[in-house]
Amino acid sequence: MKSPFHNTNANNRGIGWQLGASLYRVIIGYGLAVIVAVPLGLLLGQLPILRAGLNPFIQILRPISPLAWMPIALYTIKDAEECGIFVIFICSIWPILLNTSFGVSRLRKEWLDVARTLELSWAGRLWLIILPAAAPTIVTGMRVGLGIAWLAIVAAEMLVGSSGIGYFVWNQWNNLSLSNVILAVLLIGVTGMILDTAFAALQRSVSYAE
């Protein structure tokens, strides 16, 4: 613990290195979820028929536990690193998708009427009206999704990880080092708080008084 970023071998890595590995996986998996969920949510919010058609599938997949996806991911992907990223993606995509769709579908009709009066193009309506109006709801979904992603990666790494903060907790428990386990748990909590605080600030910056 005196050298948190040392990396001697696969079984001897510092807690700082392990935390960085977890954050890397979260950034990749969560980033992919945002890239997929936001455009799809914008589409669903504007097309009620498509939203109604996909909603049953979303409601079936959304409650599935992150750990329940692990056996399927391991069988199909066969790589622990990519499995962790997939679990983050599949668990964090739903709140982003649903909140984006909800925010767009709840846009005031008057705002869209103004866009038509001004003869704005689809891209103009999206950039000047839809995204700014739905931004608070979208960021709320992203904030929830990030919290789920952080929970999911710790659990996934404890199950099949060879690195990461979740793996570190489990490995230290197997070594009967309770002090290191407690330190890692506190670090997980502090990191989660920092991530949530950053998104809270972003949420306030895009909020507006109706």
Side-chain angles (χ1 to χ4, degrees):
M1 300 305 296
K2 294 181 180 179
S3 301
F5 292 98
H6 76 272
N7 183 14
T8 305
N9 54 60
N11 295 318
N12 187 15
R13 290 166 174 163
I15 191 171
W17 193 96
Q18 304 285 18
L19 179 64
S22 295
L23 287 172
Y24 171 77
R25 295 185 184 109
V26 168
I27 290 171
I28 299 298
Y30 176 77
L32 290 173
V34 172
I35 290 172
V36 173
V38 172
L40 183 56
L42 291 172
L43 189 62
L44 293 179
Q46 296 178 78
L47 299 174
I49 295 177
L50 182 61
R51 184 167 68 250
L54 292 181
N55 187 62
F57 300 98
I58 295 173
Q59 296 305 324
I60 289 172
L61 296 174
R62 183 174 61 88
I64 298 175
S65 166
L67 296 183
W69 287 105
M70 286 304 299
I72 299 174
L74 286 170
Y75 179 78
T76 55
I77 301 175
K78 298 180 173 60
D79 181 86
E81 180 81 16
E82 294 178 2
C83 285
I85 293 173
F86 169 78
V87 168
I88 294 169
F89 169 82
I90 201 67
C91 294
S92 59
I93 191 173
W94 309 119
I96 305 172
L97 176 62
L98 292 174
N99 274 49
T100 301
S101 175
F102 176 77
V104 174
S105 66
R106 299 287 290 181
L107 287 180
R108 290 184 178 180
K109 183 176 181 297
E110 294 86 351
W111 295 347
L112 298 177
D113 290 339
V114 170
R116 281 190 285 269
T117 301
L118 296 175
E119 298 182 351
L120 291 177
S121 63
W122 180 85
R125 290 198 303 272
L126 178 65
W127 186 251
L128 296 176
I129 295 179
I130 296 175
L131 279 177
T137 311
I138 295 173
V139 174
T140 298
M142 293 172 64
R143 183 180 179 183
V144 175
L146 183 61
I148 295 174
W150 187 238
L151 289 172
I153 191 56
V154 173
E157 288 171 348
M158 293 178 87
L159 186 63
V160 297
S162 58
S163 64
I165 194 67
Y167 170 78
F168 180 86
V169 170
W170 194 247
N171 191 46
Q172 293 302 310
W173 168 250
N174 289 331
N175 293 333
L176 301 179
S177 181
L178 186 58
S179 60
N180 285 349
V181 171
I182 294 174
L183 176 62
V185 168
L186 291 175
L187 185 58
I188 290 169
V190 170
T191 303
M193 182 186 69
I194 293 172
L195 294 174
D196 186 72
T197 301
F199 261 90
L202 177 61
Q203 192 173 16
R204 288 192 297 271
S205 70
V206 299
S207 297
Y208 56 90
E210 296 190 12

